[in-house]
């Protein structure tokens, strides 16, 4: 008897995965030296491994056998308490009934789409936007509406016009307001207020995905959408420790209206039961013992130096050929070529030259930005950054036959 094709669900067609993760897999298969501007991960030396190992002795060592049990679905009490305390006085301050610990920021996004989105609902996203966020929305069969971004974040007039043209309000507006992935830009305060106003006018859920906000190295803080919303149930905030401590811990949190907590817990119980307990205990000890503030101070300074090194190298090699954004924090910088340079075609050549990035069209559901690319400045030293940008210039010359 021969088996027929496997009886996949219709939704399997919508599981498009992540261009970013697949380019990482391609990178892993290369053995020559490559400067890695592709992934949005902290540098290995930015992960506080020594401190985590130190606090881990007590938090998950022999004296803490229960650290390897199941945890409460809404989050381990030690983690919840340490986090609530760490956030006190910040723009992300919150209360127990609004807080759910998640398995990274991605689960916060997945839960949002799971509880709010029906197939075919409209989701307004920034253009460009975070590829994996798009993949999550599509996995719940969203229809996506791309809204341009400029130096002040999502263009709110363009959002209004796009919604008028679509003839229906978005069920969800998805924004990365601070040091946006991929562009690095930050939404201005007036636009944050206007966006909240539109969400209220349309009754749209506003997903406020802000993993990089604590990594500001220049300029003044702007209140988060969470703070500006002042408890408005339409605002659903997603946060993560992936960029500020370590992505492999897979711990994040959702800050949402208290009426949603029961649903979030039910959805999480049907998904992963609870977030990894040893990782929560480690982070709880890291926070409780007061390491976060100093760690962030050091990281911000490192990232400022790295961004400046990248901009200087870009000026040296790409002046007149491209322009780029000027992020005041976070991990990314967005480069747009002045003439048609196919950054998808450039990718393989760049890999051969020894530098990796993510092509611009990966950040647009409609494949916009063919002549742009995202560079992560956070994970390479200034010396490596200078080398990587020089290699990128050589790759462009090879592509153009210079
Ligand atoms: C905008 C944005 N949201 C969410 C995430 C996912 O975070 P996590 O790795 O904690 O799932 C990322 C990571 O790159 C991101 O850039």
């Amino acid at each position: 008897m021969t088996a027929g094709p496997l009886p996949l669900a219709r939704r399997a067609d919508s599981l498009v995965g992540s261009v970013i993760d697949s380019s990482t897999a391609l990178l892993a298969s290369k053995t020559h030296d490559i400067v890695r501007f592709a992934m949005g991960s902290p540098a290995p030396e930015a992960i506080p491994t020594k401190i985590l190992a130190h606090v881990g002795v007590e938090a998950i060592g022999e004296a803490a056998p229960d650290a390897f049990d199941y945890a409460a679905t809404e989050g381990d009490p030690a983690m919840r308490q340490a986090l609530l305390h760490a956030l006190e006085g910040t723009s992300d301050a919150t209360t127990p009934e609004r807080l759910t610990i998640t398995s990274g920021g991605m689960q916060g996004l997945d839960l949002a789409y799971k509880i709010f989105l029906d197939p075919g609902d409209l989701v307004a996203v920034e253009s460009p936007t975070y590829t994996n966020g798009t993949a999550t929305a599509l996995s719940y069969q969203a229809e996506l509406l791309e809204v341009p971004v400029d130096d002040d974040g999502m263009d709110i007039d363009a959002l209004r016009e796009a919604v008028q043209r679509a003839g229906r309000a978005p069920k969800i507006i998805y924004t990365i307001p601070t040091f946006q992935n991929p562009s690095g830009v930050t939404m201005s305060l007036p636009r944050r207020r206007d966006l909240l106003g539109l969400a209220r006018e349309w009754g749209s859920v506003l997903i406020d995905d802000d993993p990089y906000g604590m990594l500001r190295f220049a300029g003044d803080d702007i209140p988060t959408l969470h703070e500006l919303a002042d408890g408005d149930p339409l605002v659903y905030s997603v946060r993560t420790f992936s960029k500020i401590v370590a992505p492999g811990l897979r711990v994040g949190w959702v800050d949402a209206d208290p009426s949603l907590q029961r649903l979030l817990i039910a959805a999480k119980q049907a998904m992963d039961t609870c977030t990894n307990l040893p990782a929560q205990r480690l982070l709880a000890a890291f926070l409780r013992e007061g390491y976060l503030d100093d760690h962030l101070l050091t990281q911000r300074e490192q990232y400022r130096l790295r961004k400046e090194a990248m901009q200087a190298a870009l000026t040296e090699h790409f002046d007149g050929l491209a322009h780029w954004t000027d992020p005041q924090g976070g991990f990314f910088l967005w480069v747009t070529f002045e003439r048609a340079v196919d950054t998808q075609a450039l990718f393989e050549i760049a890999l051969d030259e020894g530098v990796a990035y993510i092509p611009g069209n990966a950040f647009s559901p409609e494949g916009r930005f063919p002549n742009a690319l995202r560079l992560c400045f956070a994970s390479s030293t200034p010396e490596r950054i200078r080398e990587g940008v020089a290699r990128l210039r050589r790759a462009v010359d090879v592509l153009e036959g210079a």
Side-chain angles (χ1 to χ4, degrees):
M1 209 168 76
T2 52
L6 286 170
L8 293 178
R10 269 196 297 277
R11 89 176 72 81
D13 286 342
S14 313
L15 299 175
V16 293
S18 161
V19 183
I20 298 177
D21 293 336
S22 45
S23 57
T24 320
L26 180 63
L27 267 178
S29 69
K30 304 279 178 187
T31 51
H32 66 289
D33 175 52
I34 296 177
V35 180
R36 288 155 197 256
F37 297 144
M39 275 300 274
S41 331
E45 67 274 14
I47 312 267
T49 44
K50 280 208 183 101
I51 301 175
L52 291 172
H54 167 70
V55 299
V57 173
E58 234 178 82
I60 59 171
E62 276 175 81
D66 71 325
F68 293 87
D69 204 343
Y70 287 111
T73 305
E74 66 276 19
D76 180 51
M79 176 70 219
R80 292 170 57 80
Q81 210 174 359
L83 179 57
L84 287 165
H85 184 67
L87 295 177
E88 267 171 27
T90 74
S91 204
D92 281 334
T94 189
T95 52
E97 64 282 4
R98 300 185 56 88
L99 179 68
T100 306
I101 305 294
T102 57
S103 301
M106 282 308 298
Q107 189 177 51
L109 294 181
D110 192 275
L111 287 165
Y113 287 113
K114 185 166 229 161
I115 65 180
F116 289 117
L117 201 85
D118 287 313
D121 278 347
L122 198 61
V123 176
V125 300
E126 286 154 346
S127 181
T129 186
Y130 172 48
T131 318
N132 298 22
T134 300
T136 307
L138 289 175
S139 76
Y140 288 98
Q141 287 134 322
E143 270 189 37
L144 298 172
L145 191 64
E146 292 194 50
V147 182
V149 164
D150 63 21
D151 286 340
D152 287 327
M154 187 192 280
D155 180 339
I156 308 300
D157 291 334
L159 169 64
R160 197 187 276 281
E161 284 158 23
V163 165
Q164 250 158 24
R165 274 196 308 275
R168 59 183 174 139
K171 185 76 168 287
I172 290 177
I173 304 169
Y174 171 60
T175 176
I176 306 150
T178 316
F179 319 133
Q180 199 239 15
N181 182 358
S183 66
V185 303
T186 293
M187 193 186 293
S188 66
L189 183 57
R191 286 209 185 160
R192 288 177 192 226
R193 294 209 167 102
D194 289 350
L195 181 60
L196 271 168
L198 278 187
R200 286 176 178 136
E201 185 182 321
W202 294 330
S204 307
V205 172
L206 190 51
I207 302 182
D208 153 39
D209 184 13
D210 198 342
Y212 305 96
M214 291 187 196
L215 296 172
R216 177 179 285 281
F217 48 67
D220 296 325
D221 276 331
I222 299 179
T224 57
L225 283 168
H226 159 72
E227 181 178 355
L228 293 170
D230 198 20
D232 189 319
L234 287 173
V235 175
Y236 176 106
S237 297
V238 176
R239 303 289 185 267
T240 176
F241 283 102
S242 295
K243 315 298 171 168
I244 55 177
V245 182
L249 292 168
R250 310 306 303 134
V251 178
W253 71 99
V254 160
D255 181 335
D257 190 65
S259 66
L260 293 174
Q261 198 169 43
R262 191 190 50 77
L263 259 184
L264 289 170
I265 289 173
K268 221 177 122 61
Q269 283 175 349
M271 201 187 281
D272 67 352
T273 308
C274 62
T275 295
N276 177 313
L277 183 55
Q280 292 191 65
R281 288 281 169 90
L282 259 186
L283 268 172
F286 182 84
L287 296 178
R288 211 171 36 237
E289 295 186 24
Y291 287 110
L292 183 65
D293 285 352
D294 274 357
H295 176 67
L296 287 175
L297 269 181
T298 319
Q299 293 325 305
R300 288 186 199 116
E301 181 57 10
Q302 289 302 320
Y303 295 151
R304 183 181 66 77
L305 294 172
R306 290 171 181 208
K307 183 210 77 165
E308 287 172 2
M310 186 170 272
Q311 289 191 323
L314 286 167
T315 303
E316 185 184 339
H317 295 285
F318 288 94
D319 200 23
L321 176 57
H323 59 272
W324 44 90
T325 53
D326 183 22
Q328 297 192 315
F331 280 16
F332 307 112
L333 189 149
W334 181 252
V335 177
T336 308
F337 288 96
E338 307 287 356
R339 55 175 185 256
V341 172
D342 179 347
T343 57
Q344 186 77 56
L346 179 67
F347 182 70
E348 291 279 336
I349 301 170
L351 274 191
D352 288 344
E353 291 293 329
V355 61
Y357 62 84
I358 304 286
N361 59 9
F363 300 98
S364 158
E366 288 174 12
R368 299 179 190 176
F369 313 109
N371 67 331
L373 52 88
R374 184 190 80 176
L375 299 178
C376 174
F377 53 78
S379 34
S380 311
T381 61
E383 298 72 48
R384 291 285 285 170
I385 287 174
R386 282 189 279 278
E387 176 60 27
V389 173
R391 291 179 185 179
L392 187 60
R393 177 59 212 246
R394 281 202 293 277
V396 173
D397 288 344
V398 172
L399 178 76
E400 297 192 329

